[in-house]
């Protein structure tokens, strides 16, 4: 009974915790001027389909921009001219990365960089600006 109980607990950890025993991903890097609200573990989508997760977010001290490591599922080939954008799910939902496919035939290799990026839109500051500017009129 103990062995069966331990196996059941391990199964639940793997299924509910999204722990992958066979991690078949590769890394690419994207640089953004702002990734406000984006967190490690955020999903990466292309055409509404999950193709990976955000692994790390850090500051590139040479460029003074955010450096984001994207773990992309094996079998998903990204062309070298894709566009990576930080998007929000709904009005105040979580942030994620949306990949817009490109038309180039050359494919990004592991550890290469995505050059075309769009930073996140800070909705809070836009709403604040709209509200305070409206009061002044």
């Amino acid at each position: 009974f103990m062995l069966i109980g331990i196996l059941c607990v391990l199964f639940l950890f793997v299924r509910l915790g999204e722990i992958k025993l066979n991690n078949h991903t590769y890394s690419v890097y994207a640089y953004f001027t702002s990734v406000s609200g984006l967190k490690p573990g955020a999903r990466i989508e292309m055409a509404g389909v999950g193709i990976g997760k955000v692994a790390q977010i850090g500051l590139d001290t040479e460029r003074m921009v955010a450096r984001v490591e994207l773990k992309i599922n094996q079998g998903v080939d990204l062309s070298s001219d894709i566009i990576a954008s930080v998007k929000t799910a709904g009005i105040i939902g979580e942030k994620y990365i949306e990949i817009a496919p490109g038309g180039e035939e050359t494919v990004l290799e592991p550890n290469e960089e995505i050059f075309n990026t769009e930073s996140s839109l800070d909705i809070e500051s836009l709403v604040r600006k709209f509200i305070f500017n409206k009061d002044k009129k």
Side-chain angles (χ1 to χ4, degrees):
F1 285 116
M2 296 246 330
L3 181 60
I4 291 172
I6 291 171
L7 290 174
C8 288
V9 169
L10 288 174
F11 176 77
L12 287 175
F13 275 125
V14 170
R15 292 296 282 166
L16 297 177
E18 294 185 21
I19 298 171
K20 298 195 189 253
L21 298 176
N22 51 357
N23 192 9
H24 298 292
T25 61
Y26 65 97
S27 294
V28 292
Y29 298 90
Y31 296 86
F32 298 91
T33 56
S34 174
V35 290
S36 177
L38 186 69
K39 297 178 182 167
R43 69 186 188 281
I44 302 168
E45 292 185 355
M46 180 181 279
V49 177
I51 62 166
K53 299 240 181 230
V54 172
Q56 286 184 327
I57 302 171
L59 181 66
D60 182 343
T61 55
E62 290 179 16
R63 301 180 191 180
M64 299 308 287
V65 293
R67 180 178 189 252
V68 180
E69 180 183 0
L70 309 175
K71 290 282 191 180
I72 306 297
N73 298 336
Q74 289 289 350
V76 178
D77 293 331
L78 302 176
S79 62
S80 61
D81 64 339
I82 61 168
I83 300 172
S85 306
V86 179
K87 300 286 187 178
T88 305
I91 295 175
I92 56 172
E94 65 182 18
K95 301 275 185 163
Y96 67 97
I97 301 283
E98 175 70 32
I99 302 287
E104 291 273 330
E105 290 186 19
T106 56
V107 176
L108 285 176
E109 297 295 323
N111 298 318
E112 285 193 330
E113 297 177 353
I114 298 171
F115 293 104
N116 302 319
T117 61
E118 295 176 343
S119 296
S120 66
L121 181 63
D122 189 5
I123 294 176
E124 291 176 15
S125 66
L126 287 175
V127 169
R128 191 174 317 126
K129 185 176 179 180
F130 177 75
I131 290 172
F132 289 124
N133 283 343
K134 191 172 185 175
D135 290 340
K136 292 181 183 179
K137 291 183 181 181

